[in-house]
Every structure is written in structure tokens, then in C-alpha cells.
Amino acid sequence: SAVISQKPSRDICQRGTSLTIQCQVDSQVTMMFWYRQQPGQSLTLIATANQGSEATYESGFVIDKFPISRPNLTFSTLTVSNMSPEDSSIYLCSVGYSGASSYEQYFGPGTRLTVT
Amino acid sequence: DAKTTQPTSMDCAEGRAANLPCNHSTISGNEYVYWYRQIHSQGPQYIIHGLKNNETNEMASLIITEDRKSSTLILPHATLRDTAVYYCIVRPTSNTGNQFYFGTGTSLTVIP
């Protein structure tokens, strides 16, 4: 299994500012994803982070609000831009390995964001 | 979109087996059933997955019905540390996408 770390683990931010969350994996992975978990809710997929190209966003999420970078096979960032209190959530990075017909996806510990 | 239906919550006595059901009546032939759990304030943790046959590992057993329209996750001897939200997910076997779409899950409370 992969070991995934996220920075910061939590933050309190002012409305209108931006926060960049980092995700680091201890091994090269093919797939990296970003999820959001609003208070008391399940996980919602934001986007797939593609190495060397633009991320693929799910319906309801746009690049201007959640720009994503993935410069190599072990690292990705998610920025939450122009934050509002509605962006208060846990943001989770996950990774997966392609090449197998059935594979497992591993999750980081999450970044707990509070916007005031 | 999530393709599974699970009860919102369940209780289980410590030391007893916890049986968590999941309905996936629209599952396709090439889709696996995955189970994850999320303990409070942590990221989801992989438990087990299967396609057609029943599966067992050190954490749990997965029983999939013959028509594959439902499955049951079994924790054979539940402990207090098994209290968590359990998610049942279906995912295609192809390598395209690989995204997991989470439903609402079942909140399992293990009672002393």
C-alpha cells in the first residue's frame, strides 16, 4: 500500500483568500485524485490529477476555483481559490495504480479547512 | 454517480459478527464491488473487494449474491475500533477512469 501525506493537516482561512494543499506519495503512482468531504457528508470526487496535462474535473467543479497541479508521479497540489465559508470541508488526496483489472485506491489523511 | 444503496446506520454488539448489506441492482458484468471504511477524522481505508466469488482477508469477508445485485460485508468479531462509516462502491474493471464514486455509506456503531 502507498503512504500518503498531506500538508497542511488543517487550516483556518479568511474568506476571499486561497489555500494550496499538497499531496505527497512515497512511491510513483499512475492515478491521483482529489475529493471533498463536507461536514457530515460522504466524499465527492473533485477531479483526477493528470501528470503533465490539465486535470479532469467532475461535474460541478471548475479549474478556476480548484486549480490542480501534478508535476510528477509522486506529488500533486490542489488550490481552493477565493474561499467562502461553503468551502469549509475536508479535502482528501487519493492514489491508485493502473495496469491491473482490479485495483485499490489509497487515501491520504485529509486536510481540514475552515473558512471564516 | 454512486450505484449502491446502504442502510444509513447499524449497531452491533462487541464480539459479535457485523453484517453490512449493500444493494447494487444495476451492477454491470465488468464491475467490482469494493468496501472501504472511514473512521472519524481519518481518510477512507480499503477493506476488501470482489467480482463474483466470495472473498476473505484478515479484515473481513465479502459475500456476493449469485445474481451480483447485492453483497454483504462481514466483520466476524466486531470490536469498538470497528466503529466507522462503511462505504460500498462499484467500479468497472477497465483501466479507464478508475474513479471511485462514494455513496452515503452505513454508520456502524459497535456497542460494548
Side-chain angles (χ1 to χ4, degrees), chain A residues 5 18 28 32 34 45 48 56 58-60 63-64 74 90 101 106-107 116:
Chain A
S5 60
S18 298
Q28 293 186 346
M32 295 185 79
W34 287 98
L45 179 64
T48 301
T56 304
E58 296 293 311
S59 176
I63 187 171
D64 290 345
T74 64
I90 299 173
S101 61
Y106 303 98
F107 287 81
T116 61

Side-chain angles (χ1 to χ4, degrees), chain A residues 48-95:
Chain A
T48 301
N50 301 310
Q51 195 238 340
S53 64
E54 192 172 286
T56 304
Y57 290 84
E58 296 293 311
S59 176
F61 296 96
V62 295
I63 187 171
D64 290 345
K65 176 66 176 178
F66 297 101
I68 288 170
S69 79
R70 188 172 173 201
N72 56 51
L73 294 176
T74 64
F75 185 79
S76 177
T77 67
L78 168 74
T79 299
V80 186
S81 303
N82 188 24
M83 288 183 284
S84 68
E86 292 71 34
D87 294 319
S88 298
S89 295
I90 299 173
Y91 291 86
L92 297 120
C93 169
S94 75
V95 305

